[in-house]
Amino acid sequence: MAFDGTWKVDRNENYDKFMEKMGVNVVKRKLAAHDNLKLTITQEGNKFTVKESSTFRNIDIVFELGVNFTYSLADGTELNGTWSLDGNKLIGKFKRVDNGNELIAVREISGGELIQTYTYEGVEAKRIFKKE
């Protein structure tokens, strides 16, 4: 699939404001903006494996489309939700375990880049990745 491969973060748009809205403190926000995040994505049918590698942690996330799972963000925030495929977009709909607020994540390939868009409480941010 188009998402398969290793993707390294290239730039962010409005990421600091998004993290602030999520309740991430200023020190962690400054560090996260330069986390050198790398995603290695593989897809087998409806099953995805995403290996996240960054300055802060290395973690493997395995999920199946439409199947609920729990995931912890780098700052420890726990989310529960699902990923689905809508055309060429992977759409994640999650709820925070601590407050029930919704976080939407969309991954799509555009112009040879992986664009990951987050929306939380009306604040949208993007992380743009280039294929290695």
Side-chain angles (χ1 to χ4, degrees):
M1 285 295 293
F3 293 99
D4 282 1
T6 300
W7 303 87
K8 186 166 177 31
V9 70
D10 180 62
R11 62 195 183 280
N12 301 314
E13 295 175 7
N14 208 37
Y15 194 50
D16 187 70
K17 289 285 184 202
F18 166 77
M19 288 188 292
E20 182 179 10
K21 190 70 170 178
M22 287 283 295
V24 178
N25 74 47
V26 67
V27 174
K28 287 183 181 178
R29 290 199 315 266
K30 296 297 178 199
L31 293 171
H34 304 285
D35 63 359
N36 295 310
L37 180 61
K38 188 185 295 186
L39 304 175
T40 302
I41 302 173
T42 54
Q43 179 185 0
E44 297 173 22
N46 284 338
K47 181 180 170 188
F48 284 77
T49 301
V50 180
K51 296 176 183 281
E52 285 187 9
S53 172
S54 74
T55 307
F56 307 110
R57 70 177 184 169
N58 295 310
I59 187 171
D60 289 0
I61 301 120
V62 179
F63 63 88
E64 196 168 329
L65 295 176
V67 177
N68 201 57
F69 73 105
T70 300
Y71 169 68
S72 292
L73 300 176
D75 73 343
T77 301
E78 286 194 358
L79 305 172
N80 194 296
T82 62
W83 284 98
S84 62
L85 197 55
D86 184 7
N88 65 340
K89 295 181 182 182
L90 262 176
I91 300 173
K93 294 186 179 181
F94 299 94
K95 289 211 182 278
R96 287 180 59 148
V97 172
D98 62 350
N99 64 16
N101 292 345
E102 187 174 56
L103 169 66
I104 303 294
V106 177
R107 289 178 175 151
E108 63 184 311
I109 309 296
S110 178
E113 296 179 319
L114 171 65
I115 301 168
Q116 191 159 281
T117 305
Y118 305 98
T119 307
Y120 180 76
E121 298 285 292
V123 176
E124 183 178 285
K126 292 184 181 185
R127 298 199 88 185
I128 296 98
F129 297 78
K130 293 202 177 282
K131 200 164 199 176
E132 285 199 325

